[in-house]
């Protein structure tokens, strides 16, 4: 594929993204600056109409990635290229047209909606802001019609548009949040664990809603979750994060059928399977120790202390994401053990 065709096919490309947070008051006592290395040099891309799932345990940096991509956090280093434009070089005042292309659905449907605004006011607010800034030509009647359309699209009755958030359930509130994100007709949705605060019985409904909307509007998703079943259901490709780094990235079938990184294998072995026979017969991989603190960078593999397959090389050198699929697929893994096995074959 030529570079031009690749760029046309890719809506978002992240290159070498780093997000470091300074420790408050630490410089005063230690005399030097120290940081929390929340996201430490990651790269990925999302194609048009594709869902990339980002999975990992709590504290690995998933939500920080989303906020850095959306420029809610200004990245320490790296590039975020949206439709061929590096938005990390933009000032906040220049970001408004970009946010029309890229919208966010937040994790908590209770705190992400203004309790003083009706549903109609919440959904219409982005349209009115962009109209005021001269970036959207739309009449009040067209806004009302779009509110009704969006409420119907997300599965809410338009007769509820004058109700306040406290009059809705958690799942209904998240539907309002999704409708608000769709108000400006974006091309890319950043979904930051949008079902983790919902009852399990409601999660499937919201996931199906995301899929239906994607088909109707041709949207791309960066979908964050820590639930492996959710990620498998919603994603076309999956990136696995550990301690601020991507350790494996592949299409969902390859990742679940043949996980290569020891961390991915341990993660999948911990996920319950509804079939009792398979559940009782499969082998669990128990990792020793806890996740290290992200307040220091390491010379070697970040998974070294907990890895059951570690080698001396892993302690001193950081593995890079290596292409492992020789049949044209895109399965990349950062592991020296996998690299050695590939070299033998």
């Amino acid at each position: 594929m030529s570079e031009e065709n690749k760029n046309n096919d890719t809506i978002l490309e992240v290159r070498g993204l780093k997000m470091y947070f300074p420790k408050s008051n630490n410089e005063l006592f230690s005399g030097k600056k120290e940081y929390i290395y929340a996201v430490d040099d990651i790269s990925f891309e999302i194609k048009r109409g594709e869902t990339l799932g980002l999975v990992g345990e709590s504290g690995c940096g998933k939500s920080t990635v989303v906020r850095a991509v959306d420029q809610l956090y200004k990245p320490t280093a790296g590039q975020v290229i949206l439709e061929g434009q590096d938005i990390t070089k933009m000032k906040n005042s220049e970001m408004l047209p970009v946010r029309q292309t890229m919208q966010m659905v937040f994790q908590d449907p209770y705190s992400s909606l203004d309790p003083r605004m009706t549903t109609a006011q919440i959904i219409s607010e982005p349209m009115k802001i962009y109209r005021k800034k001269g970036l959207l030509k739309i009449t009040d009647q067209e806004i009302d019609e779009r509110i009704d359309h969006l409420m119907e699209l997300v599965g809410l009755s338009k007769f509820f548009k004058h109700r306040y958030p406290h009059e809705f359930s958690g799942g209904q509130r998240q539907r309002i949040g999704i409708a608000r994100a769709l108000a400006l007709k974006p091309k890319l949705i950043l979904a930051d664990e949008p079902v983790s605060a919902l009852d399990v019985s409601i999660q499937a409904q919201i996931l199906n809603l995301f899929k239906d909307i994607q088909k109707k509007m041709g949207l791309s998703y960066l979908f964050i979750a820590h639930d492996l079943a959710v990620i498998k259901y919603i994603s076309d490709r999956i990136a696995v994060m550990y301690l601020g780094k991507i350790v494996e990235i592949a299409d969902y079938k390859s990742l679940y059928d043949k996980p290569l990184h020891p961390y991915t294998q341990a993660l999948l072995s911990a996920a319950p399977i509804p079939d009792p026979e398979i559940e009782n017969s499969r082998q669990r991989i128990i990792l020793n120790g806890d996740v290290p603190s992200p307040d220091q960078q390491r010379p070697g593999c970040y998974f070294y202390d907990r890895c059951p397959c570690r080698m001396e090389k892993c302690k001193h050198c950081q593995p890079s994401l290596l292409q492992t699929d020789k049949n044209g697929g895109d399965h990349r893994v950062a592991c020296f053990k996998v690299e050695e096995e590939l070299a033998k074959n």
Side-chain angles (χ1 to χ4, degrees), residues 117-175:
M117 297 172 70
T118 64
T119 301
Q121 289 171 330
I122 290 169
I123 297 172
S124 67
E125 186 179 28
M127 292 181 276
K128 290 179 178 178
I129 290 172
Y130 275 74
R131 182 176 66 177
K132 186 177 180 180
K133 296 288 185 180
L135 296 170
L136 186 66
K137 292 182 179 180
I138 192 168
T139 65
D140 286 339
Q141 183 181 345
E142 288 171 333
I143 288 176
D144 287 337
E145 290 172 354
R146 182 140 183 83
I147 291 169
D148 292 347
H149 168 70
L150 287 170
M151 290 191 69
E152 182 183 350
L153 184 66
V154 299
L156 293 172
S157 170
K158 65 181 180 180
F159 299 108
F160 294 165
K161 64 183 179 181
H162 299 300
R163 291 187 179 184
Y164 290 87
H166 74 270
E167 298 178 85
F168 293 97
S169 67
Q172 289 173 322
R173 291 186 198 192
Q174 195 60 290
R175 290 174 189 269

Side-chain angles (χ1 to χ4, degrees), residues 84-98:
Q85 191 173 20
D86 186 358
I87 62 176
T88 56
K89 297 178 180 177
M90 293 182 175
K91 299 175 182 177
N92 288 334
S93 58
E94 300 172 325
M95 280 295 296
L96 208 58
V98 173

Side-chain angles (χ1 to χ4, degrees), residues 136-307:
L136 186 66
K137 292 182 179 180
I138 192 168
T139 65
D140 286 339
Q141 183 181 345
E142 288 171 333
I143 288 176
D144 287 337
E145 290 172 354
R146 182 140 183 83
I147 291 169
D148 292 347
H149 168 70
L150 287 170
M151 290 191 69
E152 182 183 350
L153 184 66
V154 299
L156 293 172
S157 170
K158 65 181 180 180
F159 299 108
F160 294 165
K161 64 183 179 181
H162 299 300
R163 291 187 179 184
Y164 290 87
H166 74 270
E167 298 178 85
F168 293 97
S169 67
Q172 289 173 322
R173 291 186 198 192
Q174 195 60 290
R175 290 174 189 269
I176 297 169
I178 294 169
R180 176 180 60 187
L182 298 174
L184 296 172
K185 299 180 180 178
K187 299 176 183 177
L188 173 66
I189 295 291
L190 308 176
D192 183 14
E193 301 208 37
V195 297
S196 64
L198 306 177
D199 292 342
V200 175
S201 59
I202 305 299
Q203 288 184 7
Q205 296 177 22
I206 299 300
L207 291 173
N208 285 331
L209 175 62
F210 271 109
K211 282 198 162 191
D212 290 343
I213 291 170
Q214 185 175 39
K215 287 179 183 177
K216 290 175 182 176
M217 300 181 67
L219 294 171
S220 304
Y221 293 144
L222 174 57
F223 201 98
I224 311 300
H226 60 262
D227 188 320
L228 292 162
V230 167
I231 281 290
K232 182 179 182 181
Y233 182 72
I234 196 73
S235 304
D236 297 306
R237 289 189 303 126
I238 299 170
V240 181
M241 279 192 75
Y242 182 80
L243 207 63
K245 287 188 174 291
I246 290 178
V247 297
E248 188 166 2
I249 185 166
D251 67 88
Y252 80 94
K253 194 172 188 316
S254 297
L255 192 88
Y256 278 77
D257 290 350
K258 192 179 179 182
L260 297 177
H261 196 280
Y263 176 65
T264 310
Q265 293 169 354
L267 208 60
L268 292 176
S269 79
I273 294 176
D275 188 321
E277 290 186 10
I278 298 176
E279 178 68 20
N280 293 331
S281 63
R282 70 187 182 129
Q283 184 180 0
R284 290 285 180 92
I285 301 173
I286 307 298
L287 297 176
N288 296 320
D290 297 319
V291 181
S293 173
D295 63 353
Q296 55 182 298
Q297 289 179 306
R298 293 158 178 78
C301 176
Y302 279 27
F303 190 55
Y304 176 81
D305 292 333
R306 306 177 72 198
C307 183

